[in-house]
Amino acid sequence: MDELATYQGGLPDTIDDLAHFLLIAPEKATAMRAEIRAIQKVGLAKAVYDQKLEEQRRLCDMILDASVRLGEMTKAIPSASGRRTDLKPVDSAVVRSKTKTETVRDLGFSPKQVERFETLADNKDLVELEKAKARDEGRMPTRTNVIDMAQARKEMYHRDMEQIDTDGKYAKAFCHAVHAPLMITDDLDDVAAAVWRNSSGDVSEDIQDIDNAIQALTIIKAKLMKGGSLYGNFKNHH
C-alpha cells in the first residue's frame, strides 16, 4: 500500500504506471474506509477523522482522474493488430503488433473495465461534477456514479434524437395538410367540380374527409394557441 506515496505528487504519465496505480488504489481506498470506521468506533479526535476523510477523498479523486487518463490512452490504441514495419521477421515469421484486447489484458484489465475507463474519458465534465457533488454531499466520489450519469445522458440524447425525427415527420405532414389546400384557393370551383366528377356524384366520403380534416386542424389550432402552457417554453428545452 505504501506504493501509493509515489503518486502523491501527481499521476504517472505512462499507460503501464497508470494501470499499476489503478490496480492498487481501489484496495487502498477499501483499507482507508475500514480505518475511518475504526477511528469512529474508538472515538479519536475529530481532527484525525477529518484528516483521514480528506486523504480518502484525494485518493478517490485520483482514481477518477487516473481512470480518465487511462481511458484516453486506450481509446488511441487500434482495435485490430497490424504488421510491425520497424522489425525484421525472425525465421520468416510475421511479427505483428498486439490487438487492443491483448494490450489491455496485459495491463491487467478486462475489455469491460476499459470500456468504463473510456466512458469516463468521454465525460470529463461529469467526472468533475461528481467530485463537486460528492464534496457537497459529504461522501466519496465514485466511478459508478459517473458511469450512471453518462448512461442517463446517452439515453436522453437518444430520446432527443428520436423526438427530433418524430417532430420532423409530423411537422412535414402538418405543412402538407395546411399548405396543400392553400395552393388551390384560386380555382376552388374547378376543384369542387373535379372531385364531383371523380366521385360520380357520390361525394359523401369526400365531405366526411373534409369534416375530419377540419376537425383535426381545429384541434391543432387550439393546441397551438395554448402551446406555451401545454408544451412549455421552446428555449427551455433546447
Side-chain angles (χ1 to χ4, degrees):
M1 297 298 181
D2 292 338
E3 294 178 75
L4 286 173
T6 306
Y7 304 113
Q8 294 304 310
L11 292 173
D13 295 322
T14 70
I15 191 169
D16 290 322
D17 288 341
L18 275 172
H20 181 68
F21 171 80
L22 285 172
L23 288 170
I24 64 174
E27 295 181 11
K28 176 61 175 177
T30 299
M32 291 182 75
R33 283 195 295 271
E35 187 178 357
I36 289 170
R37 285 195 297 269
I39 290 174
Q40 287 179 300
K41 188 173 182 179
V42 300
L44 293 181
K46 185 176 182 301
V48 176
Y49 174 76
D50 289 344
Q51 178 184 349
K52 287 298 179 182
L53 274 183
E54 186 57 30
E55 289 177 7
Q56 184 186 20
R57 184 181 305 282
R58 286 200 302 269
L59 178 58
C60 290
D61 284 351
M62 289 178 69
I63 290 173
L64 274 171
D65 292 340
S67 299
V68 168
R69 190 173 297 179
L70 187 65
E72 291 174 330
M73 290 181 175
T74 58
K75 283 171 62 179
I77 301 174
S79 296
S81 63
R83 183 167 180 168
R84 293 285 297 272
T85 59
D86 59 328
L87 298 175
K88 294 182 179 180
V90 179
D91 296 331
S92 300
V94 176
V95 180
R96 65 176 181 85
S97 60
K98 294 179 182 179
T99 66
K100 182 172 182 176
T101 300
E102 291 169 338
T103 300
V104 300
R105 182 191 61 203
D106 291 345
L107 289 172
F109 300 110
S110 68
K112 186 63 178 178
Q113 287 176 300
V114 171
E115 180 184 338
R116 288 168 63 86
F117 295 150
E118 292 179 0
T119 296
L120 294 171
D122 288 336
N123 295 274
K124 295 179 186 178
D125 60 323
L126 296 184
V127 171
E128 296 306 317
L129 177 61
E130 167 64 3
K131 290 181 189 177
K133 286 179 63 177
R135 185 171 290 278
D136 290 342
E137 295 169 4
R139 58 175 177 81
M140 296 299 128
T142 70
R143 292 179 289 192
T144 298
N145 285 344
V146 180
I147 296 295
D148 289 344
M149 287 191 290
Q151 181 62 31
R153 168 187 278 177
K154 183 178 179 180
E155 291 172 358
M156 181 178 294
Y157 171 80
H158 287 307
R159 286 197 300 269
D160 288 346
M161 292 300 101
E162 290 174 358
Q163 189 63 60
I164 289 172
D165 290 342
T166 300
D167 287 351
K169 180 180 72 174
Y170 285 130
K172 183 177 180 179
F174 170 77
C175 288
H176 178 75
V178 172
H179 294 150
L182 298 179
M183 300 294 290
I184 56 174
T185 51
D186 293 336
D187 305 299
L188 296 183
D189 186 61
D190 290 340
V191 172
V195 172
W196 179 269
R197 288 190 288 268
N198 271 349
S199 302
S200 300
D202 182 7
V203 292
S204 57
E205 290 187 4
D206 297 293
I207 291 173
Q208 184 61 54
D209 287 343
I210 292 173
D211 287 339
N212 290 341
I214 291 173
Q215 182 181 16
L217 288 173
T218 300
I219 292 172
I220 292 173
K221 176 184 175 181
K223 289 184 177 295
L224 287 174
M225 293 174 70
K226 297 179 180 179
S229 59
L230 290 175
Y231 313 119
N233 190 311
F234 177 82
K235 292 182 179 179
N236 290 337
H237 287 78
H238 295 271

